[in-house]
Amino acid sequence: MTTLTSFGIISSELRQVEQKLLESVPEEIPELASVVRSLILAGGKRLRPALVFLSGSINSPDHEKLLNAAVAVELLHTATLIHDDTIDQADVRRGIATANSIFGPGVVILLGDFLFAKAAHYAAMTSDPEAIDLFAKVLMVIVDGELRQSLGKHNGVPSEEEYYRRIYAKTAALFECCTETGAILSKAPEPHRRALTTYGKKLGLAFQIIDDLLDFTSTEQIGKPAGNDIRQGTITLPVILFLQSAAVGDPRAEHVKAVISGLSKDYDGAIDIIKSSGALEKARDKAAALIEEAKAALLVLPNSDSREAMMEIAQFTLERTL
Amino acid sequence: MTTLTSFGIISSELRQVEQKLLESVPEEIPELASVVRSLILAGGKRLRPALVFLSGSINSPDHEKLLNAAVAVELLHTATLIHDDTIDQADVRRGIATANSIFGPGVVILLGDFLFAKAAHYAAMTSDPEAIDLFAKVLMVIVDGELRQSLGKHNGVPSEEEYYRRIYAKTAALFECCTETGAILSKAPEPHRRALTTYGKKLGLAFQIIDDLLDFTSTEQIGKPAGNDIRQGTITLPVILFLQSAAVGDPRAEHVKAVISGLSKDYDGAIDIIKSSGALEKARDKAAALIEEAKAALLVLPNSDSREAMMEIAQFTLERTL
């Protein structure tokens, strides 16, 4: 993804993000330094920092503030991934053995807290109370969503509306925070701010739908078995759409329901049913509609390389296969 | 402690803190509301919020900002206790069954994160970048200290200096943050700010020494067995002072070392040795010296009810038995 034009125009900014992220590694605690470094480097494409810079460059960018905000959102993202892995007792993420399996959950809780603290520090460094408050609020939304998901698992099949609420909290709220923060820190006029906020939110929703879709088709490349979500009791859009459209008494739907409720352990069978049902294509159509809305929102903004880059990111989000 | 004069002069402020703390209970998640409410109500004396208000009332108090900061520090304190209990797998704290034993660690990590997020929100509400950054930094200090302690346990007996470093991170840094935040938010002149910062730090160090001392003499009143720290592998000041002063080859010292290193499980014997050695009294003397330094620092400030209240809190910290 780093070869996209969209990232080229902010490549020096992203290098600075990378530098500052690495400065967050606790070198003075040698046992942890290499683990934290791996976790930070596993982040890869830095989509969230890119969104901060691109949305912040439409109006009057303040480079230092945008850089601090970009680092803050990426650290916040990393911290939530770490706590997620602890909660899920996941052993691998993106092919890297997680800190969890190396140190045990106690230390890993603290590692997540450490990165939260660093994130809060960088957010504070923007010296912009509105941006800081937005940052605190998005953390509340993310955690509130995780709490609801943890408590609500195995509560049966969520409605499509509940699914969107969940992926908003899980992913789209932070995307939205990135673009809105860019708007705030560049003193964007209200219509621009609304456009960027809408873009971030819709892009985030589409991103997570695609992520959930790829979970059905993924191989060991991303370090998880195909259908990992359903195996973990997480019901995503393809399952919801499949069950919505299934006729009453359809034996395929009954089989999927049995797997979801834990009555059957035939995950592979359920995954095959979903994949062959056309539900993945329907889910992709939903994502495509959101991407169109995200791109449409940007049309309020003046034409510029940054706007083009955000268009390209939207398109890529839909087309990515990994 | 709430009957102290010191708390009387800010009783309406502390009631407002209580009110705002309860507003942080996630009522919309019924499974969690009552647990979070218990955790918040277990806080008791609200010493940290009191320090924010008292130190903030010496100069030009901004009531709203002080209130937000007071709520932020108390929520931060509660969040760190929750994560601590998760890490320690503690079942009781202050006699209340912890969320950990009710929900399991996954949900409890998130509960702590939820309160961190709320704390960050209230810190942001002060709209004071310096106070917000101080808040982020103290979180880093606390977490860094916890990480070092988690990784360093069973590394033998720490030096007295290492002990002070540890209790600074664990307790004194937040006390110091409270009084410094009060100074910042009331636009205290530099000498006042230094005085309040010194007072907070010394008070916090003494507070933790007394806490560690009481661990040896506590009964089931605080919901932990006597000598809980030594049972958990945490070496505190009385042990350090005892071993410092023991003659080479002293069989009592050898016995304590055997228990600390895990060679012997005779915790009760080790605890009795420490208690009868005079080390508790020596530790109390160290705390008393810190309290004198804390009180002396306050003499720079104009005489006022708030200054008197802080003097009284210092004295009480030394004399408390629970």
Side-chain angles (χ1 to χ4, degrees):
Chain A
M1 188 153 180
T2 43
T3 57
L4 281 183
T5 324
S6 27
F7 282 69
I9 63 169
I10 49 166
S11 58
S12 84
E13 284 86 348
L14 291 181
R15 268 197 303 276
Q16 288 178 285
V17 168
E18 216 60 28
Q19 183 57 37
K20 283 214 183 270
L21 287 172
L22 286 174
E23 286 169 14
S24 296
V25 173
E27 299 291 351
E28 68 287 3
I29 313 182
E31 302 92 319
L32 296 183
S34 68
V35 177
V36 176
R37 199 175 301 111
S38 307
L39 287 165
I40 285 175
L41 291 176
K45 45 195 179 316
R46 309 302 182 205
L47 180 52
R48 292 160 191 81
L51 291 174
V52 173
F53 280 114
L54 290 171
S55 58
S57 65
I58 301 290
N59 289 280
S60 314
D62 178 323
H63 177 74
E64 270 310 295
K65 291 188 179 199
L66 290 174
L67 178 58
N68 285 320
V71 175
V73 293
E74 190 69 8
L75 287 173
L76 178 67
H77 174 58
T78 310
T80 58
L81 289 187
I82 292 175
H83 278 186
D84 258 10
D85 279 3
T86 310
I87 294 160
D88 295 347
Q89 310 269 312
D91 281 336
V92 283
R93 180 184 286 273
R94 292 175 179 155
I96 289 179
T98 62
N100 203 22
S101 57
I102 302 174
F103 289 110
V107 168
V108 180
I109 294 170
L110 292 172
L111 265 186
D113 290 354
F114 181 83
L115 293 180
F116 274 132
K118 287 274 180 193
H121 169 66
Y122 280 104
M125 297 267 283
T126 65
S127 294
D128 186 300
E130 199 181 0
I132 295 167
D133 192 38
L134 187 63
F135 184 83
K137 279 189 180 133
V138 77
L139 177 55
M140 272 197 278
V141 170
I142 293 171
V143 174
D144 186 79
E146 286 175 340
L147 274 170
R148 285 166 194 273
Q149 200 188 343
S150 273
L151 294 167
K153 257 186 191 176
H154 314 296
N155 270 2
V157 179
S159 67
E160 197 177 334
E161 196 188 333
E162 283 164 345
Y163 169 78
Y164 286 119
R165 220 168 16 234
R166 175 155 69 70
I167 66 171
Y168 172 72
K170 181 185 170 85
T171 304
L174 188 56
F175 276 57
E176 181 184 54
C177 171
C178 291
T179 52
E180 189 168 10
T181 299
I184 292 170
L185 295 180
S186 60
K187 305 195 188 310
E190 193 51 39
H192 286 191
R193 177 166 168 171
R194 265 200 306 278
L196 289 165
T197 305
T198 302
Y199 167 80
K201 178 177 174 176
K202 305 270 182 186
L203 179 70
L205 291 170
F207 185 93
Q208 189 58 48
I209 292 174
I210 298 293
D211 222 50
D212 290 346
L213 231 161
L214 292 174
D215 183 70
F216 280 92
T217 56
S218 75
T219 64
E220 64 286 351
Q221 272 181 284
I222 61 166
K224 287 179 175 180
N228 186 59
D229 285 335
I230 208 168
R231 291 175 211 272
Q232 300 282 327
T234 304
I235 312 299
T236 58
L237 191 57
V239 179
I240 295 167
L241 294 177
F242 165 67
L243 290 174
Q244 264 180 16
S245 66
V248 177
D250 178 338
R252 296 175 314 152
E254 294 309 315
H255 189 69
V256 169
K257 282 185 199 162
V259 169
I260 289 170
S261 65
L263 288 177
S264 159
K265 294 280 175 205
D266 180 23
Y267 296 113
D268 290 332
I271 291 160
D272 284 341
I273 290 172
I274 306 288
K275 283 170 79 171
S276 63
S277 73
L280 300 192
E281 291 72 15
K282 278 188 201 163
R284 187 177 293 274
D285 289 346
K286 301 260 182 186
L290 284 161
I291 289 296
E292 284 314 307
E293 289 169 29
K295 288 157 84 174
L298 295 181
L299 295 176
V300 169
L301 306 175
N303 197 358
S304 68
D305 285 351
S306 297
R307 191 183 81 167
E308 278 319 296
M310 287 190 275
M311 294 279 186
E312 192 188 25
I313 286 175
Q315 196 57 36
F316 183 85
T317 293
L318 186 61
E319 290 165 8
R320 76 198 172 101
T321 53
L322 198 68
Chain B
M1 187 150 181
T2 44
T3 58
L4 282 183
T5 326
S6 27
F7 283 69
I9 65 170
I10 49 165
S11 58
S12 83
E13 283 85 349
L14 292 181
R15 268 198 303 277
Q16 287 178 286
V17 168
E18 216 60 31
Q19 183 58 38
K20 283 214 184 271
L21 287 173
L22 286 174
E23 286 169 15
S24 295
V25 173
E27 299 292 351
E28 69 287 5
I29 313 183
E31 301 93 318
L32 297 182
S34 66
V35 177
V36 176
R37 199 177 298 112
S38 307
L39 287 165
I40 285 176
L41 291 176
K45 43 196 182 320
R46 309 301 182 206
L47 180 52
R48 292 160 191 82
L51 292 173
V52 173
F53 280 114
L54 291 171
S55 58
S57 66
I58 302 289
N59 288 283
S60 314
D62 178 323
H63 177 75
E64 271 309 298
K65 290 187 179 200
L66 290 173
L67 179 58
N68 285 320
V71 174
V73 294
E74 190 69 8
L75 287 173
L76 178 67
H77 173 59
T78 311
T80 58
L81 289 186
I82 292 175
H83 279 185
D84 259 9
D85 280 4
T86 310
I87 294 159
D88 297 345
Q89 309 268 317
D91 280 338
V92 283
R93 181 182 285 272
R94 294 176 178 153
I96 290 179
T98 61
N100 203 21
S101 57
I102 302 175
F103 289 110
V107 168
V108 180
I109 294 170
L110 292 172
L111 264 186
D113 290 354
F114 182 83
L115 293 180
F116 274 132
K118 288 273 180 194
H121 169 67
Y122 279 103
M125 296 268 283
T126 65
S127 294
D128 186 300
E130 199 180 1
I132 295 168
D133 192 37
L134 188 62
F135 184 84
K137 279 188 179 135
V138 78
L139 178 55
M140 272 195 278
V141 170
I142 294 170
V143 174
D144 187 77
E146 287 175 341
L147 274 170
R148 284 166 194 274
Q149 201 189 343
S150 274
L151 294 167
K153 259 187 190 176
H154 315 297
N155 270 2
V157 180
S159 67
E160 198 177 333
E161 197 188 334
E162 284 166 345
Y163 169 78
Y164 286 119
R165 222 172 9 237
R166 175 155 68 71
I167 67 171
Y168 172 72
K170 180 185 169 83
T171 304
L174 188 55
F175 276 58
E176 182 184 52
C177 169
C178 291
T179 52
E180 189 167 11
T181 299
I184 292 170
L185 296 180
S186 61
K187 305 193 188 310
E190 193 52 37
H192 287 191
R193 179 166 166 173
R194 265 200 307 276
L196 289 165
T197 303
T198 302
Y199 167 81
K201 179 178 174 175
K202 306 269 181 186
L203 179 71
L205 292 170
F207 185 92
Q208 189 58 49
I209 292 174
I210 298 293
D211 222 53
D212 290 347
L213 232 160
L214 291 173
D215 184 69
F216 280 92
T217 57
S218 75
T219 62
E220 62 287 351
Q221 272 181 283
I222 59 165
K224 286 181 178 180
N228 185 59
D229 285 335
I230 209 168
R231 291 175 209 273
Q232 300 282 326
T234 304
I235 313 299
T236 58
L237 190 56
V239 179
I240 295 166
L241 295 177
F242 165 68
L243 291 174
Q244 264 179 15
S245 66
V248 177
D250 178 338
R252 296 174 314 151
E254 295 307 317
H255 190 69
V256 168
K257 282 184 200 162
V259 169
I260 288 170
S261 65
L263 288 176
S264 158
K265 293 279 172 208
D266 180 23
Y267 297 113
D268 291 331
I271 291 161
D272 284 341
I273 290 171
I274 306 288
K275 282 169 79 172
S276 62
S277 72
L280 300 192
E281 291 72 15
K282 278 187 200 162
R284 187 177 294 277
D285 289 345
K286 301 262 184 187
L290 285 161
I291 289 296
E292 284 314 307
E293 290 170 29
K295 287 157 84 174
L298 294 181
L299 295 177
V300 169
L301 306 175
N303 196 0
S304 67
D305 285 352
S306 296
R307 191 183 81 166
E308 279 318 296
M310 286 189 276
M311 293 279 185
E312 194 187 24
I313 286 174
Q315 196 55 36
F316 183 86
T317 293
L318 187 61
E319 290 166 6
R320 76 199 173 100
T321 54
L322 198 70

